[in-house]
Amino acid sequence: MTSTGDRTTKNPPEANEMERWASLIGGGAMVLTGLSQRSLKGVLTALAGGGLVYQGLTKQSTIQQAQDAIGINKPIKVEKTVTINKPADELYRYWHNFEQLPTFMKHLQSVKVYDTKRSHWIASAPLGNNVEWDAEILEDRENEFISWASVEGAEIDNSGFVRFKQAPGDRGTEVKIVLEYNIPGGGLSAALAKLFGEEPEQQIGDDLRRFKMLMEAGEIATTEGQPTGKR
């Protein structure tokens, strides 16, 4: 038990060495087994194993440093900025029509707007699965800023904002997006996502590049050189 001023906090009990190593070894085996199975069951097995590894890691302060480096059980935060040669009001209007976001956000399957505050999102997940959640707008400043957060009960707790700011030298508009995902397993989930080609930082960077192409050229060029996503 530790005391800070008038506050007293109780530390969780530590497991003995045998229990700690059982968690580490057993959890590690589950992670390896899960990763070898390209199925939803495999993913869930790996995540469950990651939970055991996490329990083992948190028993010793020296191992805690490794946990912090890996990022286990921590939110995944992504921050990206792109400069687009278009005025902020035009970019804001397109983005604010959330049902248009899947035209350049490849991982999004659909967005259904319920009202001025709430919308329903469906995104692609590894191995052909989907995740769904409802989101609510927290702040909306016309032509400048939109922030949102998933509502209680979402499969993936997430929040973020997009900001539209005039670029220096009258070069258009800086579009900055910041997202945070609170996924069970934290860094382990990010590693699994990367393994299956869905690493969040790369994904959002690609989305912004497609948004830039769409807004500046009116279409998104595919890797084969054929245009798509015409407005």
Side-chain angles (χ1 to χ4, degrees):
M1 182 176 294
T2 61
S3 177
T4 305
D6 295 330
R7 295 176 302 169
T8 300
T9 58
K10 185 176 181 181
N11 295 325
E14 290 191 357
N16 59 39
E17 283 294 299
M18 181 175 295
E19 181 182 351
R20 186 173 73 86
W21 283 106
S23 295
L24 289 170
I25 295 170
M30 289 178 69
V31 170
L32 292 175
T33 300
L35 292 178
S36 68
Q37 301 173 1
R38 286 185 169 269
S39 64
L40 179 58
K41 179 181 178 181
V43 172
L44 296 176
T45 299
L47 289 175
L52 287 177
V53 172
Y54 171 71
Q55 291 176 18
L57 290 176
T58 54
K59 306 308 177 186
Q60 294 289 331
S61 61
T62 54
I63 306 297
Q64 180 74 38
Q65 297 175 3
Q67 174 211 344
D68 292 339
I70 298 170
I72 291 178
N73 220 33
K74 289 185 176 182
I76 300 169
K77 186 175 181 179
V78 180
E79 183 174 329
K80 290 289 184 180
T81 303
V82 67
T83 299
I84 301 177
N85 189 23
K86 287 289 182 179
D89 60 339
E90 183 176 341
L91 302 179
Y92 168 89
R93 284 196 304 271
Y94 192 95
W95 194 293
H96 198 278
N97 186 352
F98 301 131
E99 294 183 354
Q100 295 185 130
L101 294 181
T103 59
F104 64 89
M105 289 187 168
K106 189 176 180 181
H107 65 290
L108 279 181
Q109 291 190 7
S110 66
V111 180
K112 180 177 177 59
V113 174
Y114 293 144
D115 52 42
T116 57
K117 284 287 187 180
R118 187 168 289 203
S119 52
H120 183 74
W121 301 60
I122 302 177
S124 301
L127 304 174
N129 295 289
N130 298 330
V131 290
E132 301 186 30
W133 68 93
D134 281 355
E136 188 171 50
I137 293 178
L138 303 178
E139 185 176 1
D140 188 355
R141 299 199 300 267
E142 188 175 6
N143 302 332
E144 294 181 6
F145 183 86
I146 309 169
S147 65
W148 64 88
S150 58
V151 302
E152 186 177 356
E155 291 185 73
I156 296 180
D157 185 23
N158 67 90
S159 60
F161 70 81
V162 58
R163 186 192 67 193
F164 307 91
K165 181 181 178 182
Q166 184 174 350
D170 198 25
R171 295 184 296 110
T173 303
E174 287 184 353
V175 180
K176 179 177 183 177
I177 183 168
V178 176
L179 296 173
E180 185 171 281
Y181 303 93
N182 194 359
I183 305 174
L188 176 63
S189 294
L192 285 171
K194 186 174 182 179
L195 177 67
F196 291 109
E198 298 288 340
E199 200 277 322
E201 188 170 358
Q202 179 67 43
Q203 187 180 79
I204 298 304
D206 290 343
D207 288 342
L208 281 181
R209 282 189 288 272
R210 283 189 288 268
F211 183 52
K212 177 181 173 70
M213 283 190 287
L214 180 61
M215 299 309 296
E216 291 182 347
E219 60 187 20
I220 300 173
T222 67
T223 55
E224 290 78 21
Q226 298 298 321
T228 186
K230 291 186 177 181
R231 286 184 290 169

